[in-house]
Amino acid sequence: MEIPQALRGCQQATAGYTRRVRSRDLEALQFVRAELATFACSVPGQEACRGIAPTRSLNDARTELDRTWEYHRWLERHGSAPIAEFPEIRPALKSAAHPGFVLDAAG
């Protein structure tokens, strides 16, 4: 099955792709994902936003809708989340990693 241009390069997106989604809808989704990514506070968050895709599973869709509704309700009660933008730390974590090294859980 050929993956539409809007989904190429998105690992998460291709996993749940369905032929019933019209190409114009996928193009609109590309715009929405790009806009959503501007609200993310980290590079991994931006990548996750750009990887959002339609799902074939009604149960998965309902689960995500429930999660979105729960967060909406939390925002209504508490206001915006107390988090600010933070830098990309994966390169630092990678350089700090040592093969076979495990941190001790005891404080």
Side-chain angles (χ1 to χ4, degrees):
M1 164 183 0
E2 183 178 344
I3 303 300
Q5 182 66 32
L7 292 180
R8 291 187 185 145
C10 299
Q11 294 173 347
Q12 291 176 337
T14 57
Y17 172 70
T18 174
R19 282 200 171 279
R20 290 183 268 169
V21 178
R22 298 174 301 196
S23 62
R24 71 178 186 194
D25 295 333
L26 291 173
E27 289 174 21
L29 180 60
Q30 181 69 16
F31 172 77
V32 170
R33 292 187 305 197
E35 284 297 305
L36 181 62
T38 66
F39 292 96
C41 294
S42 67
V43 173
Q46 292 167 356
E47 291 168 359
C49 290
R50 290 186 195 106
I52 294 172
T55 180
R56 293 180 189 190
S57 166
L58 180 59
N59 189 47
D60 288 349
R62 286 181 175 152
T63 298
E64 291 305 316
L65 284 171
D66 288 344
R67 184 186 317 191
T68 302
W69 180 248
E70 182 179 338
Y71 185 63
H72 172 75
R73 298 294 301 174
W74 186 91
L75 288 174
E76 284 185 331
R77 286 190 302 274
H78 305 287
S80 64
I83 189 168
E85 188 171 332
F86 53 91
E88 169 66 90
I89 63 168
R90 290 180 289 190
L93 291 174
K94 191 173 186 177
S95 69
H98 298 282
F101 184 77
V102 178
L103 293 175
D104 185 4

